[in-house]
């Protein structure tokens, strides 16, 4: 091929973009474009990640989203977590160091609950986090239901009620600073989760106060409907007098057979003294005030007039609730508890007065109130939107 022909071909290749230099230039340009695109996407990815981290570390997701819907009410993750932490705190206030008896390890606080299997149920893979979270949701359901009942029945908080709630937070700023926190909001957030603050805590307390006020109003209504006949039918009581003779404990707190026998002999002497005398309820009462070592009854003739079944030690109880028991019956029975061992000289008076049985009445009231609240709460629907996954992250 002649030189002129090669030159013409090179010129043609350049014009067509197929010569070596042009191809190399195009390849370099492509590489730069790909590299630029990679860096652009990498930058965008980093920017998104930074924004995501900032959002997750802010309170926005916890306070501005919905984690739970109960009926027509919506609750943020922060509000759910406040109730979740409250359930845990209430449990600890009730049981304290005894919480370990339930298999709960409190060394890591709320953070460690998700890794501990709960012993309060037989359900598999059920953690203490699940337990307190379920408890929080149930409590929130009840509060919503009771709040709705209050609205429907014109029950409102008074200025005094609101002042009582405000009083719960008096001095919290000083308490926070003495504990190393910047302010009261920081203290609340540290104990109840991200986004929690004084304003939210008071709001929740006000809602709880209204719910309790509705509960109290219904309690008075139900209590007025409970008759003495119902109380006696469900929780019968008896009236009985007794004279307690305690055995003398050794220095180590134990009771020897000899000490028990001495107490029994003394009890028998007291019963014989009664039998040899007038042998009336009044004379028994006089001996009770003279001899009984039961400080709860030795100033009123040894009388207990509202004894319910299962309330006293076994032998005392069995004497009182024997089906063959009749007024005027007497006996000597052994009794022992954590505070004494000894013998009771017994005198059966008769059936108790149901009007005096406040314990039985309170049992009935509690049963009916619990049923009523459960029925109210059952009407409330529960939804767990996407951000429920932030619940329990305290």
């Amino acid at each position: 091929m002649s030189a002129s022909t090669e030159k013409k071909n090179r010129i043609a290749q350049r014009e067509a973009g197929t010569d070596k230099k042009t191809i190399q230039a195009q390849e370099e340009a492509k590489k730069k474009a790909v590299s630029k695109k990679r860096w652009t996407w990498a930058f965008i990815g980093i920017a998104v990640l930074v924004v995501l981290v900032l959002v997750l570390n802010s309170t926005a997701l916890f306070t501005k989203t919905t984690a739970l819907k109960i009926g027509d009410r919506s609750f943020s993750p922060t509000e759910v977590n406040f109730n979740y932490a409250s359930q845990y705190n209430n449990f600890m206030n009730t049981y304290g160091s005894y919480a370990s008896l339930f298999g709960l390890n409190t060394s890591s606080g709320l953070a460690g609950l998700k890794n501990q299997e709960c012993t309060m149920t037989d359900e598999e893979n059920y953690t203490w986090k699940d337990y307190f979270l379920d408890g929080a949701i149930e409590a929130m359901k009840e509060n919503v239901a009771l709040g709705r009942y209050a609205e429907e029945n014109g029950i409102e908080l008074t200025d005094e009620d609101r002042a009582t709630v405000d009083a719960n937070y008096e001095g919290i700023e000083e308490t926070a600073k003495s504990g190393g926190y910047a302010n009261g909001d920081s203290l609340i957030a540290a104990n109840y989760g991200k986004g929690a603050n004084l304003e939210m805590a008071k709001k929740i307390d006000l809602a709880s106060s209204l719910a309790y006020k509705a509960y109290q109003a219904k309690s008075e209504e139900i209590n007025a409907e409970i008759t003495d006949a119902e109380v006696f039918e469900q929780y019968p009581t008896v009236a009985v007098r007794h004279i307690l003779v305690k055995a003398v404990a050794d220095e180590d707190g134990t009771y020897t057979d000899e000490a028990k026998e001495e107490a029994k002999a003394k009890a028998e002497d007291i019963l014989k003294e009664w039998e040899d005398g007038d042998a009336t309820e009044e004379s028994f009462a006089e001996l009770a005030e003279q001899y009984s070592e039961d400080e709860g009854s030795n100033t009123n003739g040894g009388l207990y007039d509202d004894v319910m079944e299962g309330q006293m030690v076994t032998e005392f109880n069995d004497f009182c609730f024997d089906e063959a028991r009749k007024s005027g019956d007497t006996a000597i029975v052994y009794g022992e508890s954590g505070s004494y061992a000894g013998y009771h000289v017994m005198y059966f008076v008769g059936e108790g007065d149901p009007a005096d049985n406040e314990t039985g009445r309170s049992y009935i009231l509690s049963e009916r109130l619990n049923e009523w609240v459960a029925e109210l709460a059952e009407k409330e629907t529960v939804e767990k939107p996407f951000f429920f996954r932030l619940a329990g992250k305290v």
Side-chain angles (χ1 to χ4, degrees):
M1 182 181 296
S2 65
S4 59
T5 302
E6 289 181 1
K7 184 176 181 180
K8 288 180 181 179
N9 286 340
R10 287 197 297 272
I11 293 172
Q13 287 174 348
R14 279 199 299 273
E15 291 175 351
T18 58
D19 67 298
K20 290 182 179 180
K21 289 183 178 179
T22 301
I23 291 173
Q24 287 177 353
Q26 289 174 344
E27 289 296 327
E28 290 296 326
K30 287 180 181 179
K31 290 179 181 179
K32 290 180 179 179
V34 171
S35 178
K36 184 177 181 181
K37 185 179 292 185
R38 285 175 179 169
W39 278 106
T40 300
W41 281 112
F43 178 78
I44 293 173
I46 292 171
V48 170
L49 181 61
V50 169
V51 171
L52 183 59
V53 169
L54 289 174
V55 171
L56 288 174
N57 287 330
S58 73
T59 61
L61 282 181
F62 286 84
T63 59
K64 303 300 182 182
T65 61
T66 297
L68 190 68
K69 291 183 178 179
I70 300 177
D72 56 358
R73 289 283 314 280
S74 295
F75 298 91
S76 68
T78 296
E79 290 173 305
V80 176
N81 289 340
F82 187 96
N83 285 277
Y84 167 68
S86 295
Q87 288 289 310
Y88 174 79
N89 292 336
N90 290 340
F91 187 91
M92 292 307 301
N93 288 336
T94 300
Y95 297 106
S97 60
Y98 294 103
S100 60
L101 297 177
F102 298 95
L104 176 60
N105 182 352
T106 61
S107 60
S108 54
L110 287 164
L113 298 181
K114 63 182 179 182
N115 300 317
Q116 296 185 53
E117 185 175 353
C118 181
T119 60
M120 306 296 278
T121 176
D122 293 331
E123 186 177 341
E124 292 185 6
N125 301 318
Y126 190 80
T127 66
W128 278 102
K129 175 185 175 181
D130 297 325
Y131 176 79
F132 291 118
L133 199 52
D134 286 346
I137 294 171
E138 192 59 34
M140 293 169 75
K141 274 180 64 178
E142 291 180 0
N143 270 1
V144 169
L146 288 167
R148 199 182 308 283
Y149 177 84
E151 293 169 3
E152 293 171 351
N153 290 274
I155 300 171
E156 298 178 342
L157 292 178
T158 64
D159 290 340
E160 184 179 355
D161 295 328
R162 295 177 182 278
T164 299
V165 171
D166 288 338
N168 293 334
Y169 296 90
E170 288 181 0
I172 193 169
E173 296 295 339
E174 291 76 8
T175 300
K177 290 178 181 178
S178 66
Y181 297 95
N183 50 41
D185 286 342
S186 299
L187 174 60
I188 295 294
N191 286 278
Y192 292 97
K194 189 172 293 186
N197 54 36
L198 285 172
E199 182 182 358
M200 188 207 70
K202 287 184 179 181
K203 176 185 172 183
I204 291 176
D205 277 0
L206 285 170
S208 295
S209 295
L210 181 61
Y212 183 70
K213 195 164 187 176
Y215 182 88
Q216 286 294 94
K218 188 65 176 181
S219 175
E220 293 173 5
E221 180 183 323
I222 293 176
N223 191 45
E225 296 171 351
I226 300 173
T227 66
D228 289 346
E230 288 178 300
V231 174
F232 187 77
E233 180 182 359
Q234 295 186 46
Y235 298 98
T237 60
V238 298
V240 63
R241 294 184 187 273
H242 83 123
I243 301 169
L244 173 61
V245 180
K246 294 181 179 179
V248 178
D250 282 350
E251 292 182 359
D252 61 358
T254 61
Y255 300 95
T256 64
D257 292 339
E258 292 78 4
K260 292 177 183 178
E261 285 299 322
E262 287 180 10
K264 183 178 181 182
K266 184 176 179 181
E268 290 172 342
D269 289 342
I270 293 172
L271 179 58
K272 187 173 187 309
E273 182 178 343
W274 175 79
E275 291 172 340
D276 290 345
D278 294 338
T280 63
E281 182 181 346
E282 290 74 17
S283 64
F284 190 95
E286 291 175 1
L287 292 176
E289 295 189 6
Q290 180 180 351
Y291 294 118
S292 183
E293 297 178 74
D294 175 22
E295 295 179 357
S297 67
N298 60 8
T299 58
N300 70 342
L303 179 65
Y304 283 105
D305 57 5
D306 57 351
V307 179
M308 286 199 309
E309 189 163 6
Q311 184 177 348
M312 299 297 191
V313 294
T314 302
E315 296 81 2
F316 193 115
N317 179 83
D318 291 346
F319 170 84
C320 292
F321 291 94
D322 188 322
E323 292 182 358
R325 190 66 57 227
K326 60 183 184 298
S327 296
D329 283 354
T330 59
I332 294 176
V333 301
Y334 178 73
E336 184 172 352
S337 70
S339 60
Y340 83 97
Y343 286 84
H344 300 270
V345 183
M346 308 293 299
Y347 180 95
F348 189 75
V349 177
E351 291 181 349
D353 185 349
D356 294 330
N357 188 6
E358 292 300 325
T359 302
R361 179 176 292 274
S362 69
Y363 285 168
I364 296 175
L365 176 60
S366 179
E367 290 166 5
R368 294 187 182 178
L369 268 174
N370 289 340
E371 290 175 1
W372 175 73
V373 172
E375 289 175 2
L376 277 186
E378 190 64 29
K379 297 175 184 178
E380 302 292 341
T381 58
V382 175
E383 297 179 41
K384 299 176 181 177
F386 176 82
F387 287 103
F388 181 78
R389 63 192 59 204
L390 295 179
K393 296 184 180 296
V394 180

